[in-house]
Coordinates of all heavy atoms in Angstrom, one line a residue:
T310 N -38.3 152.0 84.8 CA -37.9 152.6 83.5 C -36.7 153.6 83.7 O -36.7 154.5 84.5 CB -39.1 153.3 82.8 OG1 -40.2 152.5 82.7 CG2 -38.7 153.9 81.5
L311 N -35.7 153.3 82.9 CA -34.5 154.2 82.9 C -34.2 154.4 81.5 O -33.5 153.7 80.7 CB -33.3 153.4 83.5 CG -31.9 154.0 83.5 CD1 -31.9 155.4 84.3 CD2 -30.8 153.1 83.9
Y312 N -34.7 155.6 81.0 CA -34.6 156.0 79.7 C -33.1 156.2 79.3 O -32.3 156.7 80.1 CB -35.3 157.3 79.3 CG -36.8 157.1 79.3 CD1 -37.6 157.6 80.2 CD2 -37.4 156.4 78.2 CE1 -39.0 157.5 80.1 CE2 -38.7 156.2 78.2 CZ -39.5 156.8 79.1 OH -40.9 156.6 79.1
D313 N -32.7 155.8 78.1 CA -31.4 156.2 77.5 C -31.3 157.7 77.5 O -32.2 158.4 77.0 CB -31.1 155.5 76.1 CG -30.7 154.1 76.3 OD1 -30.0 153.8 77.2 OD2 -31.1 153.3 75.4
K314 N -30.1 158.3 77.8 CA -29.9 159.6 77.8 C -28.5 159.9 77.1 O -27.7 159.1 77.1 CB -29.9 160.3 79.2 CG -31.2 160.2 79.9 CD -32.3 161.0 79.3 CE -33.6 160.9 80.0 NZ -34.7 161.7 79.4
P315 N -28.4 161.1 76.4 CA -27.2 161.4 75.7 C -26.1 161.7 76.7 O -26.3 162.3 77.8 CB -27.5 162.6 74.8 CG -28.7 163.3 75.6 CD -29.4 162.2 76.2
A316 N -24.8 161.4 76.3 CA -23.7 161.8 77.1 C -23.5 163.3 76.9 O -24.1 163.9 76.1 CB -22.4 161.1 76.6
S317 N -22.8 163.9 77.9 CA -22.6 165.3 77.9 C -22.0 165.9 76.7 O -22.2 167.1 76.4 CB -21.8 165.7 79.2 OG -20.5 165.1 79.1
Y318 N -21.2 165.1 75.9 CA -20.6 165.6 74.7 C -21.5 165.8 73.5 O -21.1 166.2 72.5 CB -19.2 164.9 74.4 CG -19.4 163.4 74.4 CD1 -20.0 162.8 73.3 CD2 -19.0 162.7 75.4 CE1 -20.1 161.4 73.3 CE2 -19.1 161.3 75.4 CZ -19.6 160.7 74.3 OH -19.8 159.3 74.3
F319 N -22.7 165.3 73.6 CA -23.7 165.5 72.6 C -24.4 166.8 72.8 O -25.2 166.9 73.7 CB -24.7 164.3 72.5 CG -24.1 163.1 71.8 CD1 -23.6 162.1 72.6 CD2 -24.0 163.0 70.5 CE1 -23.1 161.0 72.0 CE2 -23.5 161.9 69.8 CZ -23.0 160.8 70.6
K320 N -24.0 167.8 72.1 CA -24.6 169.2 72.3 C -24.5 170.0 71.0 O -23.8 169.5 70.1 CB -23.9 169.9 73.4 CG -22.4 170.0 73.2 CD -21.7 170.5 74.5 CE -20.2 170.5 74.4 NZ -19.5 170.9 75.5
E321 N -25.1 171.1 70.9 CA -25.0 171.9 69.7 C -23.6 172.4 69.5 O -22.9 172.7 70.5 CB -25.9 173.2 69.8 CG -27.4 172.9 69.8 CD -28.3 174.1 69.7 OE1 -28.5 174.6 68.7 OE2 -28.8 174.4 70.8
T322 N -23.1 172.3 68.3 CA -21.8 172.7 68.0 C -21.6 174.2 67.6 O -22.3 174.7 66.8 CB -21.3 171.9 66.8 OG1 -21.4 170.5 67.1 CG2 -19.8 172.1 66.5
P323 N -20.8 175.0 68.3 CA -20.5 176.3 68.0 C -20.1 176.5 66.6 O -19.5 175.6 66.0 CB -19.4 176.8 69.0 CG -19.4 175.7 70.1 CD -19.8 174.5 69.4
L324 N -20.4 177.7 66.0 CA -20.2 177.9 64.6 C -18.7 177.8 64.2 O -18.3 177.2 63.1 CB -20.7 179.3 64.3 CG -21.0 179.6 62.8 CD1 -22.0 178.6 62.2 CD2 -21.6 181.0 62.6
E325 N -17.8 178.2 65.1 CA -16.4 178.1 64.8 C -15.9 176.7 64.6 O -15.2 176.3 63.8 CB -15.6 178.8 65.8 CG -15.7 180.3 65.9 CD -17.0 180.8 66.5 OE1 -17.7 179.9 67.2 OE2 -17.3 182.0 66.4
L326 N -16.5 175.8 65.5 CA -16.1 174.4 65.4 C -16.8 173.7 64.3 O -16.3 172.8 63.6 CB -16.6 173.6 66.7 CG -15.7 173.7 67.9 CD1 -16.3 173.0 69.1 CD2 -14.3 173.2 67.6
Q327 N -18.0 174.2 63.9 CA -18.6 173.7 62.7 C -17.8 173.9 61.4 O -17.5 173.0 60.7 CB -20.0 174.4 62.5 CG -21.1 174.0 63.4 CD -22.5 174.5 63.1 OE1 -22.7 174.7 61.9 NE2 -23.2 174.9 64.0
H328 N -17.2 175.1 61.4 CA -16.4 175.5 60.3 C -15.1 174.6 60.2 O -14.8 174.1 59.1 CB -16.0 177.0 60.3 CG -15.1 177.4 59.1 ND1 -15.6 177.6 58.0 CD2 -13.8 177.8 59.1 CE1 -14.7 178.0 57.2 NE2 -13.5 178.1 57.8
Q329 N -14.5 174.4 61.4 CA -13.3 173.6 61.4 C -13.6 172.1 60.9 O -12.8 171.5 60.2 CB -12.7 173.5 62.8 CG -12.2 174.9 63.3 CD -11.8 174.8 64.8 OE1 -11.5 173.8 65.3 NE2 -11.7 176.0 65.4
L330 N -14.8 171.6 61.4 CA -15.1 170.2 61.0 C -15.4 170.2 59.5 O -15.0 169.2 58.9 CB -16.4 169.8 61.8 CG -17.0 168.5 61.4 CD1 -16.1 167.4 61.7 CD2 -18.4 168.3 62.0

Side-chain angles (χ1 to χ4, degrees):
T310 302
L311 176 64
Y312 286 113
D313 280 323
K314 297 294 180 182
S317 58
Y318 49 80
F319 283 99
K320 55 189 176 183
E321 290 186 85
T322 305
L324 201 52
E325 292 76 12
L326 278 180
Q327 288 187 34
H328 181 72
Q329 292 174 23
L330 176 66

